[in-house]
Amino acid sequence: MASKHYMEAHEAKKQGRPVTWITGYDPVEILYAMDIAVVYPENYSALCAVTQTAPKFIEAAERMGYSSDLCSYARNTIGTTFEEGAPLGGLAPPDFLVVARKFCKTHVKWWQVLSRRFNCPLFIIDAPYVPEDEKEYHVEHYVSQLEDLIAFLEERTGRKMDYDKLREVVKLSDRASMLWDEIMALRKNSPCPIGAADVLSCMFAIVTLPGTQTAVDFYERLLSEVKERVKNKIGVIPEENYRLLWDNIVLWYNVGLSNYFHKYGAVFVLEPYTMVWSGRLDPSNPLESLARKYMAPFINLKNRADVLVELCKQYRVDGAVMHSNRSCKFLSLLQYELKDILMEKLGIPSLIIEADHCDGRAYSDAQIKMRIDAFMEMLG
Amino acid sequence: MYTAGIDIGALTAKSVILEGGEILAYTIIPSGSNSKETAQRVMEATLSEAGLSQDDVTFTVATGYGRVNVPFADKQVTEISCHAKGAYTLFPTVRTVIDIGGQDSKAIKVGKNGRVVEFAMNDRCAAGTGRFLEVMAKALEVRLEDLGELSLKSRKKARISSICTVFAESEVISRISEGTPKVDIIAGIHEAIANRIFGMASRVRIEKDLVLTGGVAKNKGVIKALEEKVGFKILVPKEPQIVGALGAAVIARENAEGGKNRGR
Amino acid sequence: MINVFEDLVSNRHKNAAEWKNKGRKVFGYFCTYVPEEIIYAAGIIPVRIMGGSEDITHADVHLPSYICSFSRSCYDLALKRCYDYLDGVVFPYTCDTIVSLYNIWKADIPTPYVGFVDPLCAKTETARKYFREEVARFKGSLENYLGKEISEDSLRESIRTYNENRRLLKKVYELRKGPQPLLSGVEVLDIVRSSMLTPKDEHNSLLGSLLDRISEREDPPEPGVRILVSGSVIYDPEVLRMIEDSGALIVADDLCTGTRYFWDLVNTNSSPLVGIADRYYERIPCPCNYPPEKRLEHIMTLVKDYDVEAVIFTLQKFCDPHLFDMPFMEEKLKEAEIPSLRLETEHVTAPLGPLKTRIEAFLETIR
């Protein structure tokens, strides 16, 4: 599914259809409604990490002067725009760029670099930061920006937005989210029917294809499979002793790490990062519901902590493994606070391991495994 | 009943044999490049001192980085759990353990019965470990074992950056050439390592009683510098290097006695 | 006449305690995107939160190691109770680290008022409108905290005082043009930083005295290779001192603790709140919220006006926004045949030796 998606973008380029690059948590439904081909460099960098091709591109970016302390997704992508041999023929060059400042400013700086690289215009959306509770004016501002985005896209593509099509896309996206939520909810069962590694390989559609029929079809099939497993009490491992949560992005160059926990009878039943991608929408109110969806997750410490505590209760979590990700300050910096909160409110211990999600050089297998062993002994 | 604990570290290998709850014999030797062979050697030395053979030992637990290479071990347990248990055996009032080894350092919060409640380790870097002191001793041309005593002689410690061993070394060399008295530089080095260790250990929220283990615990200067940071007296075992192996041997006894779950 | 500025910086905590004793309120702020004029108009003294030179010992419990030492140091000082005197603290969404620090500070440090301002990255009319509303909301939140209104007159007065400070600082910078600059980079750093740590009206009179008497100065700095320093917050002057001890003289800068702070005035033709909002919206670019083209323009203007021979970037290790801009900046400066050096610094500029070597080697290549 993923390769097809990237190849389609190349096709679009050849056919003269517009191509854009966006980050995770940008309002992609708007772009799909206007028949714009979309690719996600972050997702693509994950692919590079999984196929162990990322180091070459990361090093290329570093040779160009991009510090090794910058986000490894960014270094990888920038590298692929200059070096030969990127998987799947690289990413089809963009005609314009769209980015939302939602998860981090790094996204914006990175997209600025890309707009210079491809000499094309950049549209920035600010998901206004919500310091306490979300207010109407936050949502209104996002909606105004969506209107600006539509105007920008209409100008760039020479086409007008078809609002009926948008409502259709929003409806499909809502359905995909509903299915994803149902699948994730089934992980509350014991034994947990689908673990971390499988969730990772099934994430692609909800992240990059919400609003498409492909995503809906895929999750309908997945849902029935997972329901079967629950019915037959088939779990990730035969004997489940510990139910764990994983916080932050995974180690894409070592997706099998979750399997290391199986020898302790431990499975991952909950990952806040994979769960944020769904967001229910109202087709009769497309712009406002898109705004709410794309402003929703991880808004501040209190919100993130409250959501996490609630999820830990529902999923009956015994311990937390938090990836302190050198490339992702936004998600990592609050982990020490979250660790304390989980212990205070629920008595759940957490292990914080320092690594990187895309740059394997920051990962030390022996050190990490030792910490995991010690943590599991502690839970014992 | 005899049980054994064996701790294969990167620099030294230790083993302890317990008779019931008492230490019967122990050995510390430098690690060779072959963990399996080192394990054999250190175990044999302790057995011989105890006047026993391998068959006399009911249960053996292996710990340390080389723990997977001890074929005669009945079980492998991490140094974290073993150090907690070992420190608890020696000092039942322990709440925090700081272990400073040759290559890494760790802090452990200890709960009931020597169980691990929480732990932290130095991340990827030698600055809070024995290696740091080794490098500095060489740069200063003094013996590693004399560092502690010398640091206590200083009246005015020099300021040494604590961020990186290599950078600190070049600072030390500059200071030497500037004519700063050696004892002051040494005191500064102890301040630096204490800072680093304190920062790492604070992640488990240091509480009395604090037990210091590992080879570096023999250094009076580090003890003093750390006591200044935590604000109370630190407990140090007579033989701080064997605490991991001791803990392993105690866990071995617990396993032999009743098939209880590990660590309880 | 110059030492007074350095003293204001070194004694900042003591001074704050004294203002508190006299019944004044003191607010700390992070970063030059906070609309200080509003705080000042409310009768509160705004002071910039800065790192110190003490070892960072407590911050590691709450923060990982891969963030700038500036933020770790600030938080470390807060944990060590150095900032207990603050009645309030205001955080802008400068960067991902600062926004996280906002959350952590709010959870762990008992400062009575913790405020937040979002400067926005998009530069559109929609964004401008939102930012004006954001500034108005900030004023409302201060009024709530104080239990009284901040009048339009007090805003106008505050704007006047702040604009005056900016004009005076610009005049101070003028003293660095010409073959014998009258102030060194280290001295100017103290002058600008002290402005962030002192009530503006007091600072204005100190600047006035300085400008009156500076031409009598008997010990002007030794002229050297004319350098422009570009970076973010310099909270420890050691790097600048090292540069100036190596045969260079810093004559201009693109720093948060430099021109970025005061270069733009508030336009007094609009209503006070709109004027303030627009000023912070359109001000000299900082990498956190802008792409680098405008920042490059600012640097090139300074290079021309101050006869700069070379640019030294003093970056904090782990500072993402600045680091993303670097390849572009270096490439463009190279095209313009202006030599540049990139230095990455950590807390208290450890290690000193290698840093000095780089600086000296670089300067050797210039003349």
Side-chain angles (χ1 to χ4, degrees):
Chain A
M1 187 181 9
S3 329
K4 186 155 160 278
H5 181 76
Y6 291 114
M7 299 317 287
E8 268 172 19
H10 282 293
E11 259 314 297
K13 195 85 212 180
K14 284 204 201 104
Q15 293 167 7
R17 276 169 48 221
V19 173
T20 187
W21 294 13
I22 63 175
T23 58
Y25 251 69
D26 290 353
V28 66
E29 289 87 342
I30 303 253
L31 298 159
Y32 281 141
M34 290 181 75
D35 256 327
I36 296 168
V38 168
V39 283
Y40 288 74
E42 289 167 293
N43 199 275
Y44 181 70
S45 294
L47 190 107
C48 292
V50 168
T51 55
Q52 310 296 331
T53 52
K56 177 170 154 187
F57 306 110
I58 289 175
E59 280 163 20
E62 288 170 3
R63 282 196 300 273
M64 288 169 54
Y66 291 96
S67 164
S68 59
D69 293 322
L70 292 172
C71 168
S72 52
Y73 271 166
R75 279 178 282 145
N76 180 70
T77 314
I78 293 168
T80 62
T81 65
F82 286 99
E83 280 283 295
E84 294 283 318
L88 303 175
L91 288 171
D95 297 295
F96 47 84
L97 293 162
V98 177
V99 67
R101 181 213 78 183
K102 164 58 189 168
F103 281 138
C104 58
K105 291 239 169 155
T106 291
H107 277 163
V108 177
K109 296 304 295 179
W110 173 10
W111 253 241
Q112 286 168 2
V113 170
L114 294 174
S115 95
R116 290 196 291 277
R117 167 72 183 88
F118 292 105
N119 202 16
C120 64
L122 169 63
F123 189 91
I124 302 174
I125 301 171
D126 282 293
Y129 193 76
V130 177
E132 292 181 1
D133 304 308
E134 188 180 277
K135 298 279 198 305
E136 276 318 298
Y137 58 77
H138 291 127
V139 180
E140 275 161 26
H141 181 53
Y142 202 104
V143 172
S144 308
Q145 291 178 97
L146 287 179
E147 288 163 354
D148 286 347
L149 173 63
I150 292 172
F152 170 81
L153 295 171
E154 287 176 340
E155 199 226 334
R156 293 270 115 213
T157 61
R159 297 188 226 130
K160 284 276 172 221
M161 166 67 91
D162 174 353
Y163 284 88
D164 284 330
K165 178 113 196 266
L166 179 62
R167 276 182 271 274
E168 236 339 276
V169 169
V170 165
K171 187 152 155 241
L172 284 170
S173 175
D174 179 58
R175 178 134 182 85
S177 286
M178 193 193 83
L179 291 164
W180 181 256
D181 286 347
E182 261 192 75
I183 296 167
M184 290 297 115
L186 289 173
R187 294 171 83 192
K188 293 181 196 174
N189 284 293
S190 200
C192 174
I194 174 173
D198 286 321
V199 167
L200 287 182
S201 54
C202 298
M203 249 176 83
F204 183 80
I206 192 73
V207 174
T208 63
L209 303 173
T212 63
Q213 189 64 47
T214 314
V216 169
D217 292 341
F218 181 73
Y219 290 124
E220 265 166 3
R221 283 201 310 275
L222 183 62
L223 178 60
S224 57
E225 251 185 66
V226 179
K227 274 184 173 157
E228 267 305 298
R229 290 174 71 93
V230 173
K231 199 166 91 185
N232 298 322
K233 289 223 171 269
I234 301 173
V236 178
I237 49 173
E239 204 186 301
E240 195 175 278
N241 296 329
Y242 304 102
R243 294 168 64 85
L244 302 177
L245 107 80
W246 175 281
D247 183 70
N248 210 313
I249 309 175
V250 296
L251 313 186
W252 286 111
Y253 46 84
N254 188 0
V255 289
L257 186 62
S258 56
N259 298 336
Y260 182 76
F261 290 79
H262 292 174
K263 74 179 191 195
Y264 294 102
V267 289
F268 286 96
V269 303
L270 175 63
E271 301 95 27
Y273 177 72
T274 58
M275 293 176 75
V276 296
W277 299 104
S278 70
R280 301 305 303 271
L281 296 168
D282 175 7
S284 67
N285 204 349
L287 293 189
E288 194 187 305
S289 59
L290 281 171
R292 286 186 196 280
K293 172 182 177 184
Y294 287 111
M295 282 180 58
F298 301 145
I299 58 175
N300 52 49
L301 176 60
K302 183 168 179 309
N303 164 267
R304 188 168 161 195
D306 288 346
V307 168
L308 195 61
V309 166
E310 190 48 42
L311 286 174
C312 282
K313 280 191 201 149
Q314 288 177 23
Y315 285 71
R316 290 166 293 115
V317 165
D318 301 308
V321 178
M322 300 193 181
H323 172 203
S324 181
N325 186 347
R326 297 180 72 86
S327 278
C328 186
K329 297 181 167 71
F330 187 83
L331 287 180
S332 305
L333 264 53
L334 298 179
Q335 284 171 337
Y336 293 87
E337 301 291 318
L338 289 172
K339 175 176 169 164
D340 285 348
I341 291 170
L342 284 181
M343 181 51 87
E344 268 166 44
K345 297 214 164 143
L346 299 173
I348 293 177
S350 309
L351 169 69
I352 297 183
I353 52 184
E354 213 186 279
D356 187 275
H357 62 295
C358 181
D359 186 352
R361 298 171 306 177
Y363 173 74
S364 165
D365 197 60
Q367 278 195 7
I368 298 287
K369 293 215 163 120
M370 209 271 248
R371 283 158 173 78
I372 294 173
D373 288 338
F375 180 68
M376 295 310 302
E377 279 168 18
M378 199 174 99
L379 279 188
Chain B
M1 174 178 45
Y2 301 106
T3 56
I6 178 163
D7 179 357
I8 310 290
L11 299 180
T12 53
K14 290 78 75 175
S15 60
V16 168
I17 294 180
L18 291 181
E19 181 177 2
E22 298 300 313
I23 299 178
L24 187 56
Y26 69 84
T27 312
I28 307 170
I29 59 170
S31 287
S33 52
N34 184 330
S35 300
K36 221 169 170 175
E37 186 265 334
T38 300
Q40 210 79 29
R41 251 189 315 124
V42 72
M43 196 70 241
E44 266 159 29
T46 316
L47 283 168
S48 137
E49 196 186 309
L52 298 170
S53 73
Q54 188 68 51
D55 293 327
D56 297 320
V57 177
T58 312
F59 205 103
T60 303
V61 166
T63 187
Y65 270 112
R67 65 186 181 279
V68 295
N69 288 325
V70 185
F72 53 84
D74 296 296
K75 191 172 181 166
Q76 292 148 21
V77 177
T78 66
E79 308 111 272
I80 309 282
S81 303
C82 288
H83 273 89
K85 186 65 76 168
Y88 176 77
T89 304
L90 295 171
F91 301 99
T93 54
V94 66
R95 291 287 289 149
T96 321
V97 178
I98 295 180
D99 174 61
I100 313 170
Q103 286 199 338
D104 66 16
S105 52
K106 21 185 138 33
I108 310 167
K109 198 53 157 312
V110 182
K112 281 207 189 70
N113 284 322
R115 269 179 65 62
V116 174
V117 171
E118 213 187 321
F119 67 91
M121 294 186 67
N122 70 306
D123 286 311
R124 167 188 299 112
C125 162
T129 73
R131 187 98 182 93
F132 182 84
L133 293 174
E134 232 183 87
V135 169
M136 301 309 152
K138 190 143 174 260
L140 287 156
E141 292 174 330
V142 301
R143 293 187 316 162
L144 184 60
E145 37 293 17
D146 294 334
L147 275 183
E149 278 298 333
L150 287 169
S151 82
L152 297 175
K153 296 198 161 93
S154 160
R155 299 275 176 72
K156 184 169 180 244
K157 56 185 163 203
R159 178 128 190 240
I160 303 287
S161 136
S162 50
I163 290 183
C164 166
T165 305
V166 175
F167 292 150
E169 184 189 5
S170 63
E171 264 186 85
V172 162
I173 293 171
S174 310
R175 292 312 188 99
I176 294 172
S177 60
E178 281 166 21
T180 309
K182 264 191 189 175
V183 293
D184 291 341
I185 302 178
I186 294 173
I189 288 165
H190 283 74
E191 174 76 8
I193 194 178
N195 269 340
R196 196 83 174 137
I197 293 167
F198 180 74
M200 181 271 299
S202 299
R203 288 194 172 161
V204 305
R205 309 242 155 78
I206 300 172
E207 258 181 73
K208 277 181 92 161
D209 280 326
L210 168 58
V211 174
L212 197 62
T213 67
V216 175
K218 295 196 267 199
N219 179 317
K220 293 202 183 72
V222 171
I223 297 171
K224 175 158 171 284
L226 270 176
E227 282 178 340
E228 275 165 21
K229 301 237 167 283
V230 302
F232 52 80
K233 204 120 183 45
I234 297 178
L235 304 172
V236 184
K238 268 208 311 264
E239 200 54 82
Q241 281 177 286
I242 63 162
V243 178
L246 169 63
V250 171
I251 292 173
R253 193 187 78 220
E254 286 171 355
N255 271 268
E257 268 171 4
K260 289 187 188 143
N261 281 337
R262 48 179 183 267
R264 280 200 215 279
Chain C
M1 56 177 154
I2 298 173
N3 288 342
V4 62
F5 298 102
E6 193 193 326
D7 291 338
L8 284 173
V9 177
S10 355
N11 297 329
R12 59 190 183 277
H13 298 302
K14 197 162 117 283
N15 293 343
E18 274 170 32
W19 300 324
K20 292 293 304 265
N21 278 340
K22 295 192 186 131
R24 299 294 300 275
K25 283 206 183 340
V26 179
F27 268 30
Y29 66 91
F30 277 88
C31 155
T32 56
Y33 277 101
V34 171
E36 266 184 73
E37 288 90 332
I38 302 178
I39 301 174
Y40 192 72
I44 303 169
I45 301 173
V47 296
R48 176 112 192 230
I49 308 236
M50 290 196 202
S53 51
E54 299 87 339
D55 287 324
I56 298 172
T57 50
H58 286 51
D60 284 337
V61 186
H62 301 258
L63 291 168
S65 56
Y66 44 85
I67 61 175
C68 66
S69 45
F70 167 73
S71 49
R72 289 175 66 231
S73 179
C74 291
Y75 192 59
D76 199 62
L77 291 174
L79 288 173
K80 289 175 171 151
R81 326 284 310 263
C82 287
Y83 281 113
D84 275 5
Y85 57 77
L86 292 178
D87 297 291
V89 61
V90 185
F91 287 82
Y93 191 161
T94 313
C95 62
D96 304 320
T97 299
I98 295 294
V99 77
S100 300
L101 198 56
Y102 158 72
N103 282 284
I104 296 171
W105 186 297
K106 202 157 89 164
D108 296 341
I109 311 286
T111 311
Y113 170 92
V114 183
F116 186 88
V117 177
D118 189 346
L120 304 180
C121 292
K123 295 287 167 244
T124 58
E125 281 315 300
T126 309
R128 181 197 289 271
K129 178 167 159 288
Y130 183 80
F131 187 66
R132 285 177 180 173
E133 290 161 8
E134 183 81 349
V135 169
R137 280 190 288 269
F138 176 60
K139 170 175 174 278
S141 124
L142 278 183
E143 286 170 332
N144 247 359
Y145 161 74
L146 287 171
K148 72 172 205 270
E149 206 198 304
I150 299 172
S151 72
E152 184 131 316
D153 278 341
S154 57
L155 281 173
R156 285 195 198 282
E157 185 54 42
S158 174
I159 291 172
R160 254 195 298 274
T161 312
Y162 268 72
N163 275 353
E164 182 60 15
N165 191 258
R166 291 166 180 140
R167 273 188 217 104
L168 290 169
L169 284 170
K170 259 193 169 149
K171 283 214 178 104
V172 168
Y173 268 59
E174 299 270 318
L175 301 169
R176 305 160 90 185
K177 292 181 175 173
Q180 175 59 74
L182 291 177
L183 290 163
S184 72
V186 174
E187 289 165 343
V188 171
L189 178 71
D190 282 332
I191 293 171
V192 178
R193 285 194 304 163
S194 61
S195 166
M196 300 170 172
L197 298 166
T198 315
K200 285 288 190 280
D201 53 346
E202 283 173 37
H203 200 255
N204 287 349
S205 30
L206 290 171
L207 286 178
S209 301
L210 175 73
L211 288 166
D212 281 339
R213 298 159 52 202
I214 188 73
S215 47
E216 304 156 13
R217 185 176 190 181
E218 282 174 5
D219 59 340
E222 184 84 29
V225 179
R226 298 174 71 88
I227 298 289
L228 178 147
V229 168
S230 174
S232 58
V233 181
I234 305 227
Y235 62 97
D236 186 304
E238 198 52 47
V239 190
L240 301 193
R241 208 168 274 139
M242 238 196 277
I243 294 172
E244 294 190 316
D245 282 344
S246 308
L249 189 62
I250 299 167
V251 298
D253 66 62
D254 162 47
L255 294 170
C256 293
T257 43
T259 59
R260 292 183 198 161
Y261 180 55
F262 63 85
W263 211 247
D264 309 277
L265 272 57
V266 174
N267 184 338
T268 49
N269 289 331
S270 348
S271 75
L273 273 186
V274 169
I276 290 171
D278 284 356
R279 186 256 173 202
Y280 284 90
Y281 187 71
E282 289 160 1
R283 48 158 278 188
I284 287 192
C286 147
C288 294
N289 298 316
Y290 294 81
E293 288 85 355
K294 233 176 125 187
R295 178 178 162 218
L296 179 70
E297 257 177 55
H298 175 61
I299 291 179
M300 297 306 273
T301 308
L302 289 172
V303 162
K304 188 165 129 287
D305 292 348
Y306 286 77
D307 268 319
V308 168
E309 295 173 68
V311 173
I312 297 184
F313 291 97
T314 56
L315 306 175
Q316 299 243 21
K317 191 162 163 68
F318 303 117
C319 178
D320 300 332
H322 281 78
L323 287 169
F324 264 110
D325 278 357
M326 282 312 294
F328 171 82
M329 304 295 288
E330 286 167 334
E331 189 195 311
K332 292 296 172 192
L333 286 174
K334 193 155 173 221
E335 276 170 25
E337 291 181 353
I338 298 166
S340 74
L341 171 70
R342 186 202 296 207
L343 297 175
E344 263 184 47
T345 64
E346 286 191 83
H347 192 59
V348 204
T349 64
L352 297 169
L355 218 51
K356 196 148 179 21
T357 308
R358 277 180 178 76
I359 295 169
E360 284 172 352
F362 175 65
L363 293 172
E364 277 164 16
T365 65
I366 310 234
R367 286 218 186 138

